Amino acid sequence: AFEHQDVPFEKLVEELAPKRSLSHSPLFQVSFTLQNTPASALSLPGLSLRLMELQSHVARFDLALILTDTPDGFDGTLEYNTDLFDVSTVARLVTHFQALLRAALRSPDTRVDSLSLLTGAERQQVLVDWNATGAEYPREASVHQLFSAQAARTPDAIAVEAERATLTYRQL
């Protein structure tokens, strides 16, 4: 990649000739950019130049994370296609990315695929709260009575399925 880094993107697309679609970028849909080259001050006789941050309202890719190395640390921007993602999904993605970075800092020798993306609250929700499916079993009723009650509630629901054949509660 470093050897061919000066090849224009358009030339790469031309050479690879991927199947084109107007709905997405031809080679990839997600990008990560690290701007770590120091911004040098430009000066010309009689001119005063300074860098100006521009706000873009168009995402070139489905998802793009752009980090800039600054004296105070990294500044980041996450661009996303609003036809694919809503604000809450992107906010959750950012939270998961932060959790991943924290886990990597705590355990730098751990493989990335072994690090957790979940926050403590999400882990509780997924592993405990959503799995709290215990229900009281009516111990005074027999199996055939429970089956009859279910058939009365949902007569057209599928009761038995085997290979390609099905029977509703009514049929059974």
Side-chain angles (χ1 to χ4, degrees):
F2 282 115
E3 185 178 329
H4 301 289
Q5 66 183 332
D6 294 326
V7 174
F9 182 72
E10 293 76 18
K11 178 71 173 165
L12 184 62
V13 172
E14 181 182 309
E15 288 294 320
L16 295 174
K19 183 179 175 186
R20 298 303 296 256
S21 169
L22 296 177
S23 66
H24 58 78
S25 177
L27 297 180
F28 55 91
Q29 290 76 47
V30 177
S31 76
F32 173 75
T33 304
L34 175 60
Q35 300 287 354
N36 59 352
T37 306
S40 56
L42 300 172
S43 63
L44 295 170
L47 288 178
S48 170
L49 303 172
R50 63 182 169 86
L51 290 176
M52 193 168 129
E53 246 184 78
L54 297 176
Q55 291 292 326
S56 172
H57 297 287
V58 176
R60 295 183 306 159
F61 303 107
D62 293 351
L63 193 62
L65 176 60
I66 302 110
L67 293 179
T68 304
D69 193 2
T70 71
D72 298 326
F74 290 102
D75 281 341
T77 302
L78 187 62
E79 294 178 352
Y80 60 95
N81 183 335
T82 56
D83 290 338
L84 298 175
F85 303 102
D86 61 21
V87 173
S88 64
T89 301
V90 173
R92 194 168 53 252
L93 177 70
V94 169
T95 301
H96 290 163
F97 186 56
Q98 290 171 331
L100 177 69
L101 292 176
R102 283 188 196 97
L105 289 171
R106 278 192 306 273
S107 305
D109 295 329
T110 303
R111 291 172 44 108
V112 172
D113 65 349
S114 297
L115 297 173
S116 178
L117 296 173
L118 299 178
T119 64
E122 285 176 316
R123 181 180 314 292
Q124 169 73 24
Q125 184 180 41
V126 170
L127 298 178
V128 179
D129 299 346
W130 287 350
N131 284 305
T133 57
E136 278 298 312
Y137 178 78
R139 299 201 185 285
E140 68 283 349
S142 63
V143 172
H144 79 279
Q145 290 170 324
L146 295 172
F147 185 88
S148 295
Q150 182 66 32
R153 279 193 306 276
T154 59
D156 297 318
I158 295 174
V160 177
E161 186 173 351
E163 295 181 10
R164 294 187 182 108
T166 60
L167 290 175
T168 65
Y169 280 99
R170 183 188 321 273
Q171 294 168 321
L172 191 58

